[in-house]
Amino acid sequence: MSDLIYEIKELIIDALDLEDITPEDIQDEDPLFVDGLGLDSIDALELGIAIKKAYGIKLDGNSEESKKHFYSVKSLHDFVQNVRVTG
């Protein structure tokens, strides 16, 4: 597991106060919403704020592009990594 993947999993757990869940419990490619981790729209808002604070990334919460980034830990990782590289 890459450092950034692990960091994002910890961010999700901390930001959403997910008790009894460890980073190892979250699968990289499983959906974060509905199926998979089972997050909801309020969780999405809180996670978006946490991502913005942690990585300085501005997100448009209503865009289809942002929804794609929040599909899984892997998609969040790819998004953050891409923003870091392209600035």
Side-chain angles (χ1 to χ4, degrees), residues 48 51-59 79-81 83-84:
I51 293 284
K52 181 178 178 179
K53 285 181 182 178
Y55 303 108
I57 297 172
K58 183 176 178 175
L59 299 163
F79 174 61
V80 170
Q81 189 71 26
V83 170
R84 284 181 169 178

Side-chain angles (χ1 to χ4, degrees), residues 1-10 28 73-74 77:
M1 179 181 326
S2 80
D3 290 342
L4 182 57
I5 289 272
Y6 193 84
E7 189 177 299
I8 290 171
K9 289 178 179 185
E10 285 186 322
D28 296 355
V73 171
K74 175 79 169 94
H77 165 272

Side-chain angles (χ1 to χ4, degrees), residues 64-78:
E64 286 300 314
E65 192 68 21
S66 288
K67 290 177 185 175
K68 289 178 188 176
H69 298 314
F70 280 80
Y71 176 76
S72 67
V73 171
K74 175 79 169 94
S75 61
L76 270 175
H77 165 272
D78 294 347

Side-chain angles (χ1 to χ4, degrees), residues 11-83:
L11 180 77
I12 291 168
I13 291 166
D14 292 342
L16 304 178
D17 294 323
L18 300 177
E19 298 178 4
D20 302 325
I21 294 182
T22 66
E24 292 78 16
D25 294 332
I26 303 172
Q27 300 303 309
D28 296 355
E29 306 233 5
D30 282 357
L32 294 175
F33 298 90
V34 186
D35 297 328
L37 203 52
L39 304 182
D40 61 23
S41 60
I42 293 171
D43 295 326
L45 178 61
E46 291 177 11
L47 183 55
I49 292 168
I51 293 284
K52 181 178 178 179
K53 285 181 182 178
Y55 303 108
I57 297 172
K58 183 176 178 175
L59 299 163
D60 178 5
N62 293 327
S63 77
E64 286 300 314
E65 192 68 21
S66 288
K67 290 177 185 175
K68 289 178 188 176
H69 298 314
F70 280 80
Y71 176 76
S72 67
V73 171
K74 175 79 169 94
S75 61
L76 270 175
H77 165 272
D78 294 347
F79 174 61
V80 170
Q81 189 71 26
N82 185 46
V83 170

